[in-house]
Amino acid sequence: NTGSWQSFTTISTTLSLTSGSHILRLEFPSGGFNLNWIAFSVVSGNVPTNAPTNLPQTGCNAASSFVVPGLIQAEEFCDEYGVQLETTTDSGGGENIAFLDSGDYTEYNIYVSSSSQYTLDARVASEWSTGQMDVKVDGSS
């Protein structure tokens, strides 16, 4: 709960990514928040060694990729279900994805430049504290 639908804060988690092309899927098992952007930065630590054998078939197969590390605007998905866009008052302006409900998702093509541990920052806002976002890469959490 950030106190407002347009009062954004940054939350973080870490994940291991292998170099190469991947499908990043953000699933929203419980909605009730807005998402402006996500960003990846390198963390020193363990380096993953197992690359995926093939990418899942999604609406993102022909879309261009975002380079990791880097920033992805949430509204620049290549596939989605149930999300809506609205103008954001967060720094930098533009749009955010909003009105998230249980079962909604977004997908993005990413290209990871180097296998590593990454910090994933997400810029979120909500009047509720029930929102949840699951991060999946090539179908795995």
Side-chain angles (χ1 to χ4, degrees):
N1 180 340
T2 63
S4 165
W5 295 109
Q6 290 294 314
S7 178
F8 284 86
T9 191
T10 303
I11 59 172
S12 301
T13 191
T14 58
L15 63 152
S16 295
L17 296 173
T18 56
S19 61
S21 296
H22 302 280
I23 302 288
L24 173 70
R25 182 178 174 117
L26 304 179
E27 295 182 350
F28 309 105
S30 60
F33 67 98
N34 294 341
L35 176 64
N36 190 12
W37 52 256
I38 56 173
F40 291 90
S41 58
V42 176
V43 174
S44 59
N46 297 332
V47 176
T49 56
N50 296 327
T53 54
N54 57 2
L55 296 177
Q57 294 298 309
T58 72
C60 292
N61 291 336
S64 59
S65 295
F66 292 98
V67 176
V68 171
L71 183 127
I72 302 171
Q73 293 292 334
E75 70 275 13
E76 294 180 351
F77 47 78
C78 55
D79 196 12
E80 60 85 21
Y81 175 80
V83 303
Q84 298 177 49
L85 303 180
E86 70 178 3
T87 301
T88 187
T89 60
D90 197 14
S91 59
E95 295 179 307
N96 59 255
I97 60 173
F99 309 102
L100 297 171
D101 295 312
S102 177
D104 292 354
Y105 70 84
T106 56
E107 291 184 338
Y108 309 84
N109 276 342
I110 60 172
Y111 179 80
V112 179
S113 56
S114 178
S115 296
S116 189
Q117 282 282 109
Y118 288 87
T119 297
L120 170 65
D121 292 328
R123 191 80 172 148
V124 298
S126 180
E127 290 184 355
W128 304 339
S129 57
T130 58
Q132 183 181 356
M133 178 173 70
D134 292 340
V135 179
K136 296 188 176 186
V137 178
D138 299 330
S140 299
S141 298

